[in-house]
Amino acid sequence: MAAIAAAAASLSTLNLSRTSVILPRCHLRRAITSSLSSATTELGAKFAAPAPKPKSKSHKPSPREDSEPYIPWTVNDDESGAVTLKTTPSERFLRAVANESTQRKKKKEDRGSGGKDKPRVPTAEPKYSKAARRFYNERFREPPQRLAKVLAAAGVASRRSSEELIFQGKVTVNGSVCNTPQTRVDPAKDIIYVNGGRLAKKLPPKVYFALNKPKGYICSAGEKETKSALSLLDDFMKTWTKRNPGTPKPRLFTVGRLDVNTTGLIIVTNDGEFANQISHPSSNLSKEYIASISGAVSKRQLIAISEGAVVEGVHCTPDLVELLSRQPDIPRARLRIVVHEGRNHEVRELVKNAGLQMHSLKRVRIGAFRLPTDLGLGKHQELYAASLRALGWKT
């Protein structure tokens, strides 16, 4: 206030008035400033120095500051309470942090369980992942099948006999009598009873055999006094339970037939789809036979065989007829005859129609699969993927 009064007094000394002198604004400001500065010097007033500007974010530390190491941990470990600086946290600090994290997890579990400690039930890890089980179920697990087919595959009876059991009301599915053989069932899920006995949940696996059938055996179950070719696999069936515990025995049958006097290759399996595929005429599988002939074979008779004969009302023509060369240990003439229709007694009718007398007949090949030379009469050999493909199996 004193400075303002002094400035006013100096203005009055100038004898300024509104009417006499009019100064511009800039000159008036200079006059007031100069008067104020002179007044402050006269009064002995001192103003403080301006405050230093705050350092910007881009401030670079001095060499002295930059040379000092940065220590992130400040720990009060001493009993005296002194603060020490460390580059790593103390052991007590780490233990406290771990204890705090476990306590938080326990609190969350207690909140989720409503404050009650529930006993944990140990669960065994699945043998296969969920994706692997889904992959197997989509590609390899068999879909629901017809009831008659399931009964036949389980070894209850043949397909036709199984249908008769169903029609007679001797089969129940999930507690209800089923009279329809075409009903789709899954043995693993459905409860099936036949004559009061429950059907096994697990069907037997598919098996395939090549059998060298001897003379005097028929290719069916047959009667008690008749020898069946399937009885040649009794040793295999007796050891089935020991080799496959918990798995039901397969019901075996022959694919096609050889008459009682014909020897050689016959396929035995429990896979009905496989049997139907390779025995159906549409498969067009060739079958090779070796026929031993009593007496001499002329060229005219060979031509007569190659021209074919009527078998079961159908004219059948062989694919190949060839007279094999004589062997020193085999006195009789031998013919190699290849057919593809496979009708009943077809080869015998062809030889008979040519005026020849057959001594013996042996089948040595089906499709591209040939009877192994080391497989003796009455012996069998299990077949795998390569042999099944040679037989024309396309799955």
Side-chain angles (χ1 to χ4, degrees):
M1 295 297 292
I4 296 173
S10 62
L11 288 175
S12 62
T13 58
L14 295 174
N15 296 324
L16 297 175
S17 62
R18 292 181 180 178
T19 56
S20 59
V21 180
I22 300 176
L23 294 174
R25 288 185 177 181
C26 59
H27 297 292
L28 181 60
R29 189 181 301 112
R30 290 174 184 173
I32 294 173
T33 306
S34 60
S35 61
L36 287 174
S37 60
S38 61
T40 54
T41 54
E42 291 175 2
L43 295 174
K46 294 181 180 180
F47 293 95
K53 295 181 180 180
K55 295 181 180 180
S56 62
K57 294 182 180 180
S58 61
H59 171 68
K60 296 182 179 179
S62 61
R64 182 180 179 182
E65 294 176 352
D66 195 19
S67 62
E68 295 177 359
Y70 175 74
I71 300 177
W73 295 99
T74 304
V75 186
N76 187 1
D77 276 340
D78 298 340
E79 295 179 357
S80 60
V83 177
T84 58
L85 301 179
K86 293 186 177 181
T87 56
T88 58
S90 66
E91 183 180 354
R92 189 175 66 179
F93 177 78
L94 294 174
R95 198 180 301 113
V97 171
N99 188 25
E100 179 68 17
S101 62
T102 55
Q103 287 181 357
R104 288 181 181 177
K105 289 181 180 179
K106 289 181 180 179
K107 289 180 180 179
K108 290 181 180 179
E109 291 176 359
D110 294 342
R111 290 175 185 174
S113 60
K116 298 179 180 179
D117 295 335
K118 296 182 178 180
R120 294 185 177 180
V121 180
T123 57
E125 295 185 0
K127 188 176 181 180
Y128 302 102
S129 65
K130 187 176 181 180
R133 295 195 301 270
R134 183 171 60 251
F135 180 86
Y136 174 81
N137 292 335
E138 290 177 355
R139 290 167 174 79
F140 300 103
R141 187 174 182 179
E142 294 184 358
Q145 303 176 9
R146 289 179 286 118
L147 180 57
K149 183 178 180 181
V150 170
L151 296 182
V156 174
S158 64
R159 188 78 61 88
R160 293 181 181 179
S161 300
S162 298
E163 291 179 354
E164 293 177 1
L165 291 174
I166 296 171
F167 288 134
Q168 293 171 5
K170 296 181 179 181
V171 181
T172 61
V173 178
N174 297 327
S176 302
V177 177
C178 182
N179 297 320
T180 308
Q182 291 80 15
T183 303
R184 298 279 176 174
V185 294
D186 186 356
K189 297 180 180 179
D190 299 322
I191 302 174
I192 306 172
Y193 277 85
V194 182
N195 290 327
R198 182 170 179 179
L199 196 71
K201 288 185 176 182
K202 191 175 182 181
L203 292 178
K206 301 294 191 305
V207 291
Y208 310 87
F209 299 96
L211 175 65
N212 190 356
K213 187 186 92 64
K215 188 176 181 180
Y217 286 80
I218 63 172
C219 295
S220 62
E223 300 178 358
K224 293 183 179 180
E225 62 272 8
T226 308
K227 294 183 292 185
S228 172
L230 299 176
S231 64
L232 298 172
L233 286 89
D234 286 345
D235 294 339
F236 173 82
M237 299 302 294
K238 288 178 181 178
T239 59
W240 174 267
T241 305
K242 185 177 180 180
R243 290 181 289 104
N244 304 279
T247 304
K249 292 182 180 180
R251 179 187 170 275
L252 301 178
F253 54 87
T254 59
V255 181
R257 293 188 178 186
L258 291 177
D259 59 60
V260 67
N261 293 320
T262 303
T263 63
L265 178 61
I266 186 76
I267 305 300
V268 180
T269 183
N270 64 334
D271 190 348
E273 185 179 357
F274 165 78
N276 182 63
Q277 179 173 327
I278 68 172
S279 61
H280 197 271
S282 60
S283 63
N284 203 26
L285 283 178
S286 61
K287 301 173 182 65
E288 181 179 340
Y289 294 81
I290 303 297
S292 296
I293 307 299
S294 298
V297 179
S298 64
K299 186 175 180 181
R300 180 182 58 80
Q301 291 171 327
L302 289 176
I303 295 174
I305 296 174
S306 61
E307 289 177 351
V310 177
V311 181
E312 297 180 351
V314 179
H315 185 80
C316 300
T317 304
D319 298 337
L320 176 67
V321 178
E322 181 183 4
L323 179 63
L324 300 178
S325 58
R326 290 271 183 158
Q327 298 292 333
D329 55 339
I330 302 176
R332 294 181 178 86
R334 294 181 303 154
L335 296 177
R336 184 160 70 98
I337 303 175
V338 179
V339 296
H340 65 273
E341 294 186 10
R343 294 187 177 275
N344 191 23
H345 303 293
E346 179 179 357
V347 177
R348 291 184 180 274
E349 291 294 330
L350 290 171
V351 174
K352 183 180 179 180
N353 185 63
L356 296 174
Q357 183 179 359
M358 184 177 294
H359 179 266
S360 63
L361 182 64
K362 181 180 181 180
R363 183 161 65 183
V364 296
R365 180 175 61 84
I366 300 176
F369 180 78
R370 186 173 292 275
L371 180 69
T373 55
D374 57 346
L375 191 63
L377 280 173
K379 303 298 182 180
H380 64 272
Q381 175 182 311
E382 194 165 357
L383 303 180
Y384 298 99
S387 300
L388 297 179
R389 285 194 295 269
L391 287 167
W393 183 231
K394 299 178 182 179
T395 299

